[in-house]
Amino acid sequence: MDFDLTPEQEQVRKLAHDFCDAEVAPGARELDRTEAFPEELLPKLFEVGFLGAPVPEEYGGMGLDYLSYGLIVEELGRTDASIRSLVSVNTGLVCTILLTWGTEEQKRAWLPRLTAEGLGAFGLTEPDHGSDPAGMQTSARRDGGDWLLNGSKMWITNGSRGLLTVVFAQTEPGSGARGITAFLVPQDAPGYEGRAIHGKLGLRAGDTAAVTLTDVRVPDSARVGEVGQGMKVALNALDSGRFSLAAGATGISQACLDAAVRYAGEREQFGKPIAAHQLVQELVSDIYLDLQASRALYWKVAARHQRGERHTIESSVAKTFCSEAAVRNADRAVQVHGGYGYSDEYPVGRYLRDARVTTLYEGTSQIQRLILGRHLTGISAF
Ligand SMILES: Cc1cc2nc3c(=O)[nH]c(=O)nc-3n(C[C@H](O)[C@H](O)[C@H](O)COP(=O)(O)OP(=O)(O)OC[C@H]3O[C@@H](n4cnc5c(N)ncnc54)[C@H](O)[C@@H]3O)c2cc1C
């Protein structure tokens, strides 16, 4: 594995770094304070191509390699994790599903729109089924040549302000995971209602929605993958989503390091910068250690993906480590800032609140350990 970036990858990283500093960072605090959707920023993200970074050019994307996509996501995570999250779901989950499982017609109908016009959402979780999606209640039943979808989805990123939701529904009641099928549901379809959830701890600028489906009618051509293959579609997409999440969490760790080093050099106590106190250096160094390990782990996933190798376990390792490292690092960065870290005069409190969800979604840290435990022992504990 090569740890040197190619000149093209360096260029992408610089483009993303500069764009994020100029366009994303300045509005992050206000969006967080007001829980406002990034109306003005979104068109700029489409224009610069970040919503379709790894999507082939023939479908409207930038056609970048996977590591380049990760570098963009890391920069977004460094500056505003809410924005990173909406990009990850659109690109890492929804575009991946279309590219991997979609028919040529589905790709041509949706990918150029998801890379230039509006966001895609991933509708797996339900109010009563989060870690255990195989038990989902949302149903899809045949009605002539169509399907009728009914049920509720919970915590759906981009679920009320997007164009399209990939809805996972039970098509063979009583069959558990083997009876789930995936459907492409336009968010303006009659019977689709997405309601924004407010009062979140973090990701406050992101659209997170409770979705209700009431007799939503879609043609069979909206089915993505075979009947009963939906769980495979979801899990395969999560291999990619967890990579994206790991890259974004690494961005939060980088932001924590930048903020902690800056503040430690400026703030004086006992007649010298706090950076001159050994225990503050320990906090800063620990952030750096976790950051370096995080980056190496998500780069490893990118390398395997680029070679066309499966990376379920590597994605799970990277997701678990990078998310937990981001939480540790944000906590350390708050500590370095003392009382000032406890107000939003400084961004470190937002980093902690935004990092916190990364150990919860796309499979909690506990579920990741069950995946790894099954891999290591050959015994499934869930
Ligand atoms: C901001 C945000 C955005 C989200 N975006 C999306 C999205 O776009 N699409 C989507 O489909 N979902 C999304 N989610 C949902 C997220 O994936 C779920 O919240 C997550 O999978 C956990 O499910 P749950 O909340 O129902 O918790 P539960 O499954 O009820 O888990 C509660 C606790 O029990 C533990 N637990 C559960 N089962 C076991 C077990 N077998 N062994 C040990 N511990 C266990 C969990 O680890 C957790 O600590 C989002 C969530 C949030 C908060």
Side-chain angles (χ1 to χ4, degrees):
M1 182 180 156
D2 189 353
F3 279 91
D4 290 323
L5 297 179
T6 64
E8 292 76 21
Q9 288 166 337
E10 288 286 9
Q11 220 178 338
V12 168
R13 183 187 232 177
K14 183 169 178 346
L15 169 77
H17 186 90
D18 294 349
F19 176 89
C20 288
D21 276 354
E23 304 288 351
V24 181
R29 182 171 75 171
E30 198 53 25
L31 289 175
D32 176 63
R33 270 190 181 164
T34 55
E35 292 191 59
F37 187 73
E39 305 274 6
E40 288 171 21
L41 177 58
L42 195 55
K44 294 179 186 171
L45 287 167
F46 280 123
E47 202 181 316
V48 73
F50 289 175
L51 273 305
V55 174
E57 289 177 64
E58 60 176 310
Y59 301 117
M62 291 173 94
L64 295 179
D65 65 276
Y66 220 52
L67 181 54
S68 294
Y69 167 54
L71 297 171
I72 291 172
V73 172
E74 183 186 328
E75 290 299 328
L76 289 166
R78 179 178 64 82
T79 41
D80 189 341
S82 293
I83 308 302
R84 191 284 302 165
S85 194
L86 70 83
V87 171
S88 283
V89 171
N90 181 76
T91 311
L93 292 173
V94 179
C95 291
T96 296
I97 287 175
L98 283 160
L99 285 169
T100 313
W101 304 91
T103 61
E104 194 52 35
E105 203 185 350
Q106 289 170 336
K107 288 180 198 172
R108 297 221 173 268
W110 285 110
L111 286 170
R113 298 187 69 193
L114 295 172
T115 52
E117 189 188 320
L119 299 169
F122 177 82
L124 183 66
T125 304
E126 299 191 349
D128 295 330
H129 295 277
S131 298
D132 177 24
M136 70 174 57
Q137 302 293 308
T138 297
S139 68
R141 67 174 173 80
R142 279 281 198 181
D143 188 47
D146 297 338
W147 293 88
L148 278 183
L149 276 64
N150 281 282
S152 306
K153 295 289 173 181
M154 189 62 186
W155 304 116
I156 306 306
T157 305
N158 304 336
S160 73
R161 307 286 300 251
L163 278 182
L164 168 77
T165 300
V166 180
V167 173
F168 296 88
Q170 183 56 255
T171 45
E172 294 166 46
S175 309
R178 285 190 303 279
I180 292 167
T181 305
F183 297 91
L184 302 174
V185 179
Q187 290 188 13
D188 60 2
Y192 180 104
E193 192 197 352
R195 277 165 289 112
I197 298 169
H198 291 289
K200 285 177 297 178
L201 182 65
L203 300 190
R204 291 160 64 93
D207 165 28
T208 310
V211 173
T212 311
L213 302 147
T214 312
D215 284 335
V216 175
R217 180 178 290 278
V218 292
D220 192 46
S221 59
R223 173 172 49 77
V224 63
E226 298 301 322
V227 172
Q229 227 181 10
M231 201 47 128
K232 208 170 162 187
V233 172
L235 294 179
N236 178 274
L238 285 168
D239 286 351
S240 162
R242 287 170 186 159
F243 161 75
S244 194
L245 193 156
T250 303
I252 296 179
S253 287
Q254 179 68 59
C256 292
L257 182 68
D258 296 344
V261 168
R262 196 180 314 118
Y263 190 80
E266 289 166 1
R267 175 76 174 168
E268 293 195 359
Q269 290 293 288
F270 299 93
K272 54 185 175 184
I274 58 169
H277 299 298
Q278 290 179 351
L279 295 180
V280 174
Q281 290 206 355
E282 182 185 45
L283 285 166
V284 171
S285 300
D286 284 348
I287 296 176
Y288 185 65
L289 289 168
D290 266 340
L291 167 65
Q292 292 298 321
S294 295
R295 192 168 285 133
L297 285 172
Y298 96 73
W299 282 29
K300 181 176 177 187
V301 179
R304 283 189 75 99
H305 186 93
Q306 209 55 39
R307 291 197 298 266
E309 295 168 5
R310 201 174 161 192
H311 50 77
T312 302
I313 294 302
E314 288 77 8
S315 283
S316 180
V317 169
K319 192 271 181 192
T320 310
F321 187 89
C322 298
S323 62
E324 294 178 3
V327 175
R328 286 194 292 274
N329 282 339
D331 191 52
R332 288 167 180 142
V334 170
Q335 196 67 19
V336 168
H337 283 68
Y340 292 96
Y342 205 64
S343 97
D344 73 358
E345 185 187 341
Y346 289 90
V348 288
R350 172 165 59 85
Y351 299 157
L352 182 57
R353 290 184 288 103
D354 285 348
R356 195 61 194 79
V357 77
T358 61
T359 71
L360 295 172
Y361 65 5
E362 298 206 21
T364 65
S365 280
Q366 286 72 34
I367 294 301
Q368 301 307 323
R369 283 176 172 79
L370 294 180
I371 293 170
L372 299 177
R374 181 179 58 193
H375 169 69
L376 295 168
T377 66
I379 299 169
S380 179
F382 66 131

